[in-house]
Short mmCIF file of all heavy atoms in Angstrom, two decimals:
data_model
loop_
_atom_site.label_atom_id
_atom_site.label_comp_id
_atom_site.label_asym_id
_atom_site.label_seq_id
_atom_site.Cartn_x
_atom_site.Cartn_y
_atom_site.Cartn_z
N GLN A 1 41.16 -46.17 70.92
CA GLN A 1 41.36 -45.46 69.64
C GLN A 1 40.40 -45.91 68.56
O GLN A 1 40.58 -45.56 67.39
CB GLN A 1 42.81 -45.65 69.14
CG GLN A 1 43.20 -47.06 68.71
CD GLN A 1 43.79 -47.86 69.85
OE1 GLN A 1 43.28 -47.85 70.96
NE2 GLN A 1 44.87 -48.57 69.57
N TYR A 2 39.33 -46.62 68.94
CA TYR A 2 38.40 -47.15 67.95
C TYR A 2 36.96 -46.68 68.20
O TYR A 2 36.55 -46.44 69.34
CB TYR A 2 38.43 -48.69 67.94
CG TYR A 2 39.74 -49.25 67.46
CD1 TYR A 2 40.67 -49.75 68.37
CD2 TYR A 2 40.07 -49.26 66.10
CE1 TYR A 2 41.90 -50.24 67.93
CE2 TYR A 2 41.28 -49.76 65.65
CZ TYR A 2 42.19 -50.26 66.58
OH TYR A 2 43.40 -50.74 66.14
N LEU A 3 36.22 -46.56 67.10
CA LEU A 3 34.79 -46.26 67.14
C LEU A 3 34.04 -47.38 66.42
O LEU A 3 34.61 -48.06 65.55
CB LEU A 3 34.50 -44.92 66.47
CG LEU A 3 35.01 -43.66 67.18
CD1 LEU A 3 34.85 -42.44 66.29
CD2 LEU A 3 34.30 -43.45 68.50
N PHE A 4 32.76 -47.54 66.77
CA PHE A 4 31.94 -48.61 66.19
C PHE A 4 30.63 -48.03 65.69
O PHE A 4 30.02 -47.18 66.35
CB PHE A 4 31.66 -49.69 67.23
CG PHE A 4 32.90 -50.36 67.77
CD1 PHE A 4 33.62 -49.78 68.81
CD2 PHE A 4 33.34 -51.57 67.25
CE1 PHE A 4 34.76 -50.38 69.31
CE2 PHE A 4 34.48 -52.18 67.75
CZ PHE A 4 35.20 -51.58 68.78
N ASP A 5 30.19 -48.48 64.51
CA ASP A 5 28.90 -48.02 64.00
C ASP A 5 27.78 -48.94 64.47
O ASP A 5 28.00 -49.87 65.25
CB ASP A 5 28.94 -47.89 62.46
CG ASP A 5 29.08 -49.21 61.73
OD1 ASP A 5 28.90 -50.29 62.35
OD2 ASP A 5 29.37 -49.19 60.51
N GLU A 6 26.55 -48.67 63.99
CA GLU A 6 25.38 -49.40 64.49
C GLU A 6 25.42 -50.88 64.13
O GLU A 6 24.73 -51.70 64.75
CB GLU A 6 24.10 -48.75 63.95
CG GLU A 6 23.80 -48.99 62.48
CD GLU A 6 24.54 -48.06 61.55
OE1 GLU A 6 25.49 -47.38 62.00
OE2 GLU A 6 24.18 -48.01 60.36
N LYS A 7 26.22 -51.25 63.15
CA LYS A 7 26.34 -52.66 62.75
C LYS A 7 27.52 -53.35 63.43
O LYS A 7 27.79 -54.51 63.15
CB LYS A 7 26.48 -52.75 61.23
CG LYS A 7 25.24 -52.24 60.48
CD LYS A 7 25.43 -52.35 58.98
CE LYS A 7 24.19 -51.82 58.25
NZ LYS A 7 24.36 -51.86 56.77
N GLY A 8 28.21 -52.62 64.30
CA GLY A 8 29.34 -53.19 65.01
C GLY A 8 30.65 -53.10 64.26
O GLY A 8 31.66 -53.64 64.71
N ARG A 9 30.65 -52.42 63.10
CA ARG A 9 31.90 -52.30 62.36
C ARG A 9 32.85 -51.36 63.09
O ARG A 9 32.45 -50.31 63.59
CB ARG A 9 31.63 -51.77 60.95
CG ARG A 9 32.93 -51.73 60.13
CD ARG A 9 32.78 -51.16 58.76
NE ARG A 9 34.08 -51.09 58.11
CZ ARG A 9 34.31 -50.54 56.93
NH1 ARG A 9 33.32 -50.01 56.24
NH2 ARG A 9 35.53 -50.54 56.42
N ARG A 10 34.11 -51.74 63.11
CA ARG A 10 35.12 -50.98 63.84
C ARG A 10 35.86 -50.02 62.90
O ARG A 10 36.20 -50.37 61.78
CB ARG A 10 36.11 -51.94 64.49
CG ARG A 10 37.24 -51.29 65.26
CD ARG A 10 37.90 -52.30 66.22
NE ARG A 10 38.35 -53.49 65.53
CZ ARG A 10 39.62 -53.77 65.21
NH1 ARG A 10 40.57 -52.89 65.51
NH2 ARG A 10 39.94 -54.89 64.61
N TYR A 11 36.12 -48.79 63.40
CA TYR A 11 36.87 -47.78 62.66
C TYR A 11 38.02 -47.27 63.51
O TYR A 11 37.85 -47.05 64.71
CB TYR A 11 35.97 -46.59 62.30
CG TYR A 11 34.84 -46.92 61.37
CD1 TYR A 11 33.63 -47.42 61.87
CD2 TYR A 11 34.94 -46.70 60.00
CE1 TYR A 11 32.57 -47.71 61.02
CE2 TYR A 11 33.89 -46.99 59.14
CZ TYR A 11 32.71 -47.50 59.66
OH TYR A 11 31.66 -47.78 58.82
N LEU A 12 39.15 -47.05 62.90
CA LEU A 12 40.28 -46.43 63.56
C LEU A 12 40.05 -44.92 63.60
O LEU A 12 39.95 -44.28 62.55
CB LEU A 12 41.58 -46.75 62.81
CG LEU A 12 42.86 -46.13 63.38
CD1 LEU A 12 43.13 -46.66 64.78
CD2 LEU A 12 44.04 -46.41 62.46
N ASP A 13 39.96 -44.36 64.79
CA ASP A 13 39.68 -42.93 64.94
C ASP A 13 40.99 -42.15 64.96
O ASP A 13 41.65 -42.06 65.99
CB ASP A 13 38.88 -42.68 66.21
CG ASP A 13 38.47 -41.22 66.37
OD1 ASP A 13 38.73 -40.45 65.43
OD2 ASP A 13 37.91 -40.87 67.41
N ALA A 14 41.35 -41.59 63.83
CA ALA A 14 42.58 -40.82 63.73
C ALA A 14 42.32 -39.31 63.77
O ALA A 14 43.17 -38.53 63.37
CB ALA A 14 43.32 -41.19 62.45
N PHE A 15 41.14 -38.94 64.26
CA PHE A 15 40.79 -37.52 64.33
C PHE A 15 40.24 -37.12 65.69
O PHE A 15 40.34 -35.97 66.10
CB PHE A 15 39.76 -37.19 63.24
CG PHE A 15 39.38 -35.73 63.17
CD1 PHE A 15 40.35 -34.75 63.06
CD2 PHE A 15 38.05 -35.34 63.20
CE1 PHE A 15 40.01 -33.40 62.98
CE2 PHE A 15 37.70 -34.00 63.13
CZ PHE A 15 38.68 -33.02 63.02
N GLY A 16 39.68 -38.05 66.43
CA GLY A 16 38.97 -37.74 67.68
C GLY A 16 39.84 -37.12 68.75
O GLY A 16 39.34 -36.46 69.65
N GLY A 17 41.17 -37.32 68.68
CA GLY A 17 42.05 -36.74 69.67
C GLY A 17 41.98 -35.23 69.70
O GLY A 17 42.02 -34.61 70.76
N ILE A 18 41.88 -34.61 68.54
CA ILE A 18 41.81 -33.16 68.49
C ILE A 18 40.42 -32.68 68.86
O ILE A 18 40.23 -31.55 69.29
CB ILE A 18 42.21 -32.64 67.09
CG1 ILE A 18 42.86 -31.27 67.20
CG2 ILE A 18 41.05 -32.60 66.14
CD1 ILE A 18 44.17 -31.25 67.87
N ALA A 19 39.43 -33.55 68.67
CA ALA A 19 38.06 -33.16 68.99
C ALA A 19 37.89 -33.05 70.50
O ALA A 19 37.48 -32.02 71.02
CB ALA A 19 37.07 -34.14 68.40
N THR A 20 38.19 -34.12 71.19
CA THR A 20 38.09 -34.07 72.66
C THR A 20 38.92 -35.14 73.35
O THR A 20 39.27 -34.98 74.51
CB THR A 20 36.64 -34.27 73.13
OG1 THR A 20 36.10 -35.44 72.54
CG2 THR A 20 35.77 -33.09 72.79
N VAL A 21 39.24 -36.22 72.69
CA VAL A 21 39.70 -37.41 73.40
C VAL A 21 41.22 -37.54 73.36
O VAL A 21 41.80 -37.73 72.29
CB VAL A 21 39.05 -38.68 72.81
CG1 VAL A 21 39.54 -39.91 73.53
CG2 VAL A 21 37.54 -38.56 72.92
N ASN A 22 41.88 -37.44 74.50
CA ASN A 22 43.32 -37.63 74.58
C ASN A 22 43.69 -39.05 75.00
O ASN A 22 44.53 -39.69 74.39
CB ASN A 22 43.93 -36.64 75.57
CG ASN A 22 44.68 -35.52 74.88
OD1 ASN A 22 44.46 -35.27 73.70
ND2 ASN A 22 45.54 -34.84 75.60
N CYS A 23 43.06 -39.54 76.06
CA CYS A 23 43.43 -40.83 76.64
C CYS A 23 42.84 -42.01 75.88
O CYS A 23 43.27 -43.15 76.07
CB CYS A 23 42.98 -40.91 78.09
SG CYS A 23 43.65 -39.62 79.12
N GLY A 24 41.84 -41.77 75.05
CA GLY A 24 41.15 -42.85 74.36
C GLY A 24 39.68 -42.84 74.74
O GLY A 24 39.31 -42.45 75.85
N HIS A 25 38.84 -43.28 73.82
CA HIS A 25 37.39 -43.29 74.08
C HIS A 25 37.08 -44.18 75.27
O HIS A 25 37.54 -45.33 75.37
CB HIS A 25 36.64 -43.80 72.85
CG HIS A 25 36.73 -42.88 71.67
ND1 HIS A 25 35.97 -41.74 71.56
CD2 HIS A 25 37.50 -42.92 70.54
CE1 HIS A 25 36.26 -41.12 70.43
NE2 HIS A 25 37.19 -41.82 69.79
N CYS A 26 36.28 -43.63 76.19
CA CYS A 26 35.78 -44.40 77.35
C CYS A 26 36.91 -45.07 78.13
O CYS A 26 36.81 -46.24 78.52
CB CYS A 26 34.76 -45.46 76.89
SG CYS A 26 33.35 -44.76 76.02
N HIS A 27 37.99 -44.33 78.34
CA HIS A 27 39.10 -44.89 79.12
C HIS A 27 38.57 -45.28 80.50
O HIS A 27 37.93 -44.47 81.18
CB HIS A 27 40.23 -43.88 79.26
CG HIS A 27 41.49 -44.47 79.82
ND1 HIS A 27 41.60 -44.84 81.15
CD2 HIS A 27 42.68 -44.78 79.23
CE1 HIS A 27 42.80 -45.34 81.36
NE2 HIS A 27 43.48 -45.31 80.21
N PRO A 28 38.81 -46.51 80.95
CA PRO A 28 38.19 -46.98 82.20
C PRO A 28 38.52 -46.13 83.41
O PRO A 28 37.67 -45.93 84.28
CB PRO A 28 38.73 -48.41 82.34
CG PRO A 28 39.90 -48.50 81.43
CD PRO A 28 39.63 -47.56 80.31
N ASP A 29 39.74 -45.60 83.51
CA ASP A 29 40.11 -44.78 84.67
C ASP A 29 39.32 -43.47 84.69
O ASP A 29 38.89 -43.01 85.76
CB ASP A 29 41.60 -44.48 84.65
CG ASP A 29 42.46 -45.69 84.94
OD1 ASP A 29 41.90 -46.80 85.04
OD2 ASP A 29 43.68 -45.54 85.06
N VAL A 30 39.16 -42.87 83.52
CA VAL A 30 38.42 -41.61 83.43
C VAL A 30 36.94 -41.86 83.70
O VAL A 30 36.29 -41.10 84.44
CB VAL A 30 38.63 -40.94 82.07
CG1 VAL A 30 37.85 -39.63 81.98
CG2 VAL A 30 40.11 -40.69 81.79
N VAL A 31 36.40 -42.91 83.12
CA VAL A 31 34.99 -43.26 83.34
C VAL A 31 34.72 -43.51 84.82
O VAL A 31 33.74 -43.01 85.39
CB VAL A 31 34.59 -44.48 82.50
CG1 VAL A 31 33.20 -44.97 82.89
CG2 VAL A 31 34.63 -44.14 81.01
N GLU A 32 35.60 -44.27 85.45
CA GLU A 32 35.42 -44.59 86.87
C GLU A 32 35.44 -43.32 87.73
O GLU A 32 34.64 -43.17 88.65
CB GLU A 32 36.51 -45.55 87.33
CG GLU A 32 36.37 -45.98 88.78
CD GLU A 32 37.48 -46.92 89.24
OE1 GLU A 32 38.44 -47.13 88.47
OE2 GLU A 32 37.39 -47.44 90.37
N SER A 33 36.34 -42.42 87.41
CA SER A 33 36.43 -41.18 88.18
C SER A 33 35.16 -40.35 88.04
O SER A 33 34.65 -39.80 89.03
CB SER A 33 37.64 -40.37 87.68
OG SER A 33 37.74 -39.15 88.37
N ILE A 34 34.62 -40.28 86.82
CA ILE A 34 33.37 -39.52 86.58
C ILE A 34 32.20 -40.16 87.32
O ILE A 34 31.42 -39.47 87.99
CB ILE A 34 33.09 -39.45 85.07
CG1 ILE A 34 34.16 -38.61 84.36
CG2 ILE A 34 31.71 -38.86 84.81
CD1 ILE A 34 34.11 -38.71 82.85
N VAL A 35 32.08 -41.46 87.20
CA VAL A 35 30.96 -42.17 87.83
C VAL A 35 31.02 -42.04 89.35
O VAL A 35 30.00 -41.77 90.02
CB VAL A 35 30.95 -43.65 87.41
CG1 VAL A 35 29.92 -44.44 88.23
CG2 VAL A 35 30.64 -43.78 85.93
N ASP A 36 32.21 -42.23 89.92
CA ASP A 36 32.35 -42.12 91.38
C ASP A 36 31.95 -40.73 91.87
O ASP A 36 31.26 -40.60 92.90
CB ASP A 36 33.80 -42.40 91.79
CG ASP A 36 34.17 -43.87 91.70
OD1 ASP A 36 33.24 -44.69 91.54
OD2 ASP A 36 35.36 -44.18 91.78
N GLN A 37 32.35 -39.69 91.12
CA GLN A 37 32.03 -38.34 91.55
C GLN A 37 30.55 -38.02 91.38
O GLN A 37 29.93 -37.42 92.25
CB GLN A 37 32.87 -37.33 90.75
CG GLN A 37 32.61 -35.88 91.12
CD GLN A 37 32.86 -35.58 92.58
OE1 GLN A 37 33.95 -35.87 93.10
NE2 GLN A 37 31.88 -35.03 93.28
N ILE A 38 29.98 -38.45 90.25
CA ILE A 38 28.58 -38.10 89.99
C ILE A 38 27.64 -38.84 90.96
O ILE A 38 26.52 -38.39 91.22
CB ILE A 38 28.21 -38.39 88.52
CG1 ILE A 38 27.06 -37.48 88.08
CG2 ILE A 38 27.86 -39.84 88.29
CD1 ILE A 38 26.84 -37.45 86.59
N LYS A 39 28.09 -39.94 91.52
CA LYS A 39 27.29 -40.65 92.53
C LYS A 39 27.25 -39.87 93.85
O LYS A 39 26.30 -39.99 94.62
CB LYS A 39 27.87 -42.04 92.79
CG LYS A 39 27.55 -43.06 91.71
CD LYS A 39 28.16 -44.41 92.07
CE LYS A 39 27.81 -45.48 91.04
NZ LYS A 39 28.43 -46.78 91.38
N ARG A 40 28.29 -39.09 94.09
CA ARG A 40 28.37 -38.35 95.35
C ARG A 40 27.83 -36.94 95.24
O ARG A 40 27.04 -36.50 96.07
CB ARG A 40 29.82 -38.31 95.84
CG ARG A 40 30.39 -39.66 96.21
CD ARG A 40 31.81 -39.53 96.74
NE ARG A 40 31.85 -38.68 97.93
CZ ARG A 40 31.63 -39.13 99.18
NH1 ARG A 40 31.35 -40.40 99.38
NH2 ARG A 40 31.69 -38.30 100.20
N LEU A 41 28.29 -36.22 94.20
CA LEU A 41 27.87 -34.82 94.03
C LEU A 41 28.08 -34.43 92.58
O LEU A 41 29.20 -34.45 92.08
CB LEU A 41 28.69 -33.90 94.95
CG LEU A 41 28.29 -32.42 94.95
CD1 LEU A 41 26.89 -32.24 95.54
CD2 LEU A 41 29.32 -31.60 95.73
N GLN A 42 26.99 -34.07 91.92
CA GLN A 42 27.07 -33.73 90.51
C GLN A 42 27.49 -32.28 90.30
O GLN A 42 28.28 -31.97 89.42
CB GLN A 42 25.73 -33.98 89.82
CG GLN A 42 25.72 -33.63 88.33
CD GLN A 42 24.41 -33.99 87.70
OE1 GLN A 42 23.57 -34.66 88.29
NE2 GLN A 42 24.22 -33.56 86.46
N HIS A 43 26.96 -31.39 91.13
CA HIS A 43 27.28 -29.98 90.91
C HIS A 43 27.18 -29.19 92.20
O HIS A 43 26.23 -29.34 92.97
CB HIS A 43 26.35 -29.35 89.88
CG HIS A 43 26.56 -27.87 89.72
ND1 HIS A 43 27.72 -27.35 89.21
CD2 HIS A 43 25.78 -26.82 90.05
CE1 HIS A 43 27.64 -26.03 89.22
NE2 HIS A 43 26.48 -25.68 89.71
N SER A 44 28.18 -28.38 92.42
CA SER A 44 28.09 -27.33 93.45
C SER A 44 28.97 -26.20 92.95
O SER A 44 30.01 -26.41 92.33
CB SER A 44 28.60 -27.82 94.81
OG SER A 44 29.98 -28.06 94.76
N THR A 45 28.58 -24.99 93.19
CA THR A 45 29.34 -23.86 92.70
C THR A 45 30.58 -23.65 93.56
O THR A 45 30.73 -24.24 94.63
CB THR A 45 28.49 -22.57 92.75
OG1 THR A 45 28.35 -22.18 94.11
CG2 THR A 45 27.14 -22.79 92.12
N VAL A 46 31.46 -22.78 93.08
CA VAL A 46 32.68 -22.49 93.84
C VAL A 46 32.39 -21.66 95.09
O VAL A 46 33.31 -21.30 95.82
CB VAL A 46 33.71 -21.76 92.95
CG1 VAL A 46 34.28 -22.69 91.91
CG2 VAL A 46 33.10 -20.53 92.31
N LEU A 47 31.13 -21.35 95.34
CA LEU A 47 30.77 -20.68 96.59
C LEU A 47 30.96 -21.61 97.78
O LEU A 47 31.03 -21.17 98.93
CB LEU A 47 29.31 -20.20 96.53
CG LEU A 47 29.00 -19.15 95.46
CD1 LEU A 47 27.50 -18.89 95.43
CD2 LEU A 47 29.75 -17.85 95.75
#
């Protein structure tokens, strides 16, 4: 639930949930799932 600026200052993000983030920024489970998939196959159509 936090964001950091270029100086390392921490901010409480009370708006990002509506923008895109439900589980939290860079949630490890979501990141791991994306990385694992992109290592195997980045894109294929529904064909």
